[in-house]
Amino acid sequence: MKFGVLQFPGSCDDRDAVEACARVGDAVLLWHADRDLHGVDAVVVPGGFSYGDYLRAGAIARFSPVMESVIEFANDGGLVLGICNGFQVLTEAGLLPGALLPNTGRRFVCRQVDLEVVDADTPFTNLCAPGERLSIPAKHQTGRYHAPGLDPALVVVRYAAGHCFNGSQDDIAGVRNARGNVFGLMPHPEHAVDPLTGSVDGLRIFESMAAHVGAAHVAV
Amino acid sequence: MPRVQVLIRPKSGILDPQGKAVERALPALGFDGVSNVHVGRLVELDVEDVSQVDAMCERLLANTLIEDYEIVS
């Protein structure tokens, strides 16, 4: 299992994403100006402030050379995980439905939140139980999910009752595309992979991806 | 080269926390009778071909799921 973590100017969670991926497989950084995905099995679009969040969060990164390859990779069925700014980039790219708006409270908020796994039958949550709670940190100012007319079947994780601080529609924390191979969420599973930082629940997302890719290899 | 201004606003019906904050701040300064405050963006550009600006808005300058834009020449 080889993960590729994108690196834009302004990314800041790319190193943590590599650390998290490296716990379940191999991980390499993919520079934004390089179209070559170097044969990775899955792409992680990490958190941060790509291109300084200029214009809108994710709006410029979405047109970077590497994203052209990621869009092609996703359209071919490749696994793509977008975290925080990565989620914003994937919505801007049209790979995921909806958009992220400024938090209703206007402020940047950083706190540990409980997520509820709504759909445990995805390549990103297959090692979770339906309804299971994951304790994962969230840190953002532009995380209010907005997707009028969203198919409820695309919701993968919600903020548990009382944990949604950003005003997201129906407490949605993360959604997938219709095909199920692209998933984005605002909270940061890559920051919850070591007991040192209080929770290892985030590891489940990366382990699920590895299990999915492993099973696909066996099937081939 | 023609100078073009693009006004980008949060779509009506979508909560605009920045607008709300400004709306609440004004009465505190003694400016009463202010409502419906919205904060958007202004993009100014010199362009050779003004007919391309609409496509620029659709592809990059605005996210039409959450924003409306208006081209002012």
Side-chain angles (χ1 to χ4, degrees):
Chain A
M1 173 74 186
K2 185 178 172 187
F3 291 90
V5 178
L6 304 194
Q7 192 173 40
F8 300 107
S11 293
C12 63
D13 298 320
D14 42 334
R15 297 277 167 186
D16 272 21
V18 166
E19 286 285 322
C21 293
R23 287 171 191 248
V24 300
D26 297 324
V28 294
L29 283 168
L30 301 172
W31 182 236
H32 71 112
D34 186 358
R35 284 185 169 77
D36 188 351
L37 297 185
H38 298 273
V40 298
D41 299 299
V43 169
V44 178
V45 191
F49 303 88
S50 57
Y51 297 91
D53 271 357
Y54 293 161
L55 197 62
R56 290 181 310 279
I60 314 264
R62 170 254 180 282
F63 290 106
S64 64
V66 76
M67 278 305 296
E68 288 176 25
S69 303
V70 170
I71 290 168
E72 206 173 300
F73 179 75
N75 289 337
D76 286 343
L79 290 192
V80 180
L81 167 67
I83 302 168
C84 195
N85 185 229
F87 184 17
Q88 295 162 340
V89 172
L90 295 180
T91 59
E92 283 283 342
L95 289 175
L96 288 172
L100 283 311
L101 290 160
N103 298 346
T104 45
R106 300 187 310 284
R107 297 209 170 132
F108 184 95
V109 174
C110 177
R111 68 172 65 146
Q112 196 78 11
V113 294
D114 277 3
L115 299 183
E116 195 181 296
V117 178
V118 178
D119 185 356
D121 191 21
T122 79
F124 308 90
T125 51
N126 58 60
L127 296 180
C128 304
E132 184 179 348
R133 280 188 170 213
L134 304 177
S135 175
I136 286 180
K139 51 181 181 100
H140 57 253
Q141 188 162 10
T142 308
R144 177 170 36 126
Y145 186 66
H146 175 77
L150 180 78
D151 177 357
L154 301 184
V155 179
V156 178
V157 284
R158 270 185 221 285
Y159 298 98
H163 286 252
C164 181
F165 59 81
N166 57 25
S168 287
Q169 163 183 332
D170 298 327
D171 294 347
I172 293 168
V175 295
R176 64 173 173 86
N177 63 347
R179 188 170 176 177
N181 63 309
V182 181
F183 169 48
L185 77 172
M186 286 310 296
H188 289 262
E190 84 282 18
H191 293 331
V193 298
D194 193 296
L196 182 70
T197 53
S199 167
V200 293
D201 291 355
L203 207 48
R204 212 79 59 77
I205 306 293
F206 300 96
E207 288 169 340
S208 293
M209 292 170 74
H212 179 84
V213 169
H217 280 316
V218 170
V220 168
Chain B
M1 226 185 285
R3 183 82 172 151
V4 171
Q5 294 187 328
V6 180
L7 302 173
I8 299 156
R9 306 181 169 89
K11 256 191 198 310
S12 64
I14 291 183
L15 176 67
D16 169 17
Q18 272 194 89
K20 287 277 174 228
V22 173
E23 193 172 314
R24 279 197 293 266
L26 287 170
L29 300 173
F31 298 104
D32 292 319
V34 180
S35 57
N36 275 320
V37 178
H38 291 287
V39 178
R41 277 197 309 280
L42 165 66
V43 180
E44 292 184 309
L45 345 82
D46 290 338
V47 284
E48 284 176 10
D49 182 358
V50 176
S51 72
Q52 289 189 328
V53 176
D54 194 63
M56 292 178 195
C57 291
E58 291 286 334
R59 287 206 67 199
L60 178 64
L61 301 183
N63 179 340
T64 55
L65 186 67
I66 51 177
E67 296 167 327
D68 289 324
Y69 63 87
E70 182 184 344
I71 300 165
V72 185
S73 298

